[in-house]
Amino acid sequence: MMNLPNKLTMLRILLIPFFVVFMLLSPAESAYRWIALGIFITASLTDLLDGKIARKYNLVTNFGKLMDPLADKMLVSAALICLAALARLDAWIVIVIISREFIISGLRQIAADNGIVIAASYWGKYKTTFQMIMICLLIAGIDSLYLVTEIVTWAAVILTIVSLVDYMIKNRQVFMEDK
């Protein structure tokens, strides 16, 4: 039987196709984009809730350890790809953000193979926060918030790169170990 945090993670995954459909149906002035935004915010909130509940009530499972970060990457990647497809976000930004996720996932896998656990850093948490805000602003597409959206987008890109460099420097020993 699945516990509540794992059900929230599964809900996040199940919301992704609905989010994508509403995003891709959303011309600039369509109600669909607001539905897509609501789905994205709901899915993002499940991420906050599942982790807090799992830690508070000691409901951490192997399923959750695997699927929670995967669900996050799936949601953010889907949003970024949709935004690029709709020409609301430059493709190079999508490539930088998704590439960072692949690199960190690979680093974590190598570390895990060597019995090392790489904890989330504050830079990574800031990166996630700014990416989520950026995605919400880009989905909303409110003209009067253009400058704010640009600033948040650049902050998200910079934090993505800074968090990658931070992980690589702090965990360089992972690359130096040979089996």
Side-chain angles (χ1 to χ4, degrees), residues 50-116:
D50 67 9
K52 286 182 188 264
I53 293 169
R55 286 185 295 277
K56 182 175 181 179
Y57 296 103
N58 196 26
L59 296 172
V60 176
T61 64
N62 287 333
F63 177 86
K65 288 179 190 175
L66 171 68
M67 294 307 294
D68 180 61
L70 186 58
D72 299 342
K73 287 170 183 41
M74 291 167 61
L75 176 64
V76 170
S77 296
L80 295 173
I81 291 166
C82 287
L83 288 164
L86 296 168
R88 296 184 198 167
L89 184 64
D90 291 338
W92 73 266
I93 293 173
V94 176
I95 292 166
V96 166
I97 292 172
I98 293 176
S99 295
R100 182 254 184 223
E101 297 307 324
F102 276 108
I103 293 167
I104 297 301
S105 293
L107 176 65
R108 286 179 192 261
Q109 182 61 51
I110 293 168
D113 289 348
N114 290 298
I116 301 167

Side-chain angles (χ1 to χ4, degrees), residues 5 8 12 42 44-55:
L8 289 170
R12 186 161 60 259
T42 300
S44 297
L45 291 175
T46 66
D47 182 34
L48 285 175
L49 283 175
D50 67 9
K52 286 182 188 264
I53 293 169
R55 286 185 295 277

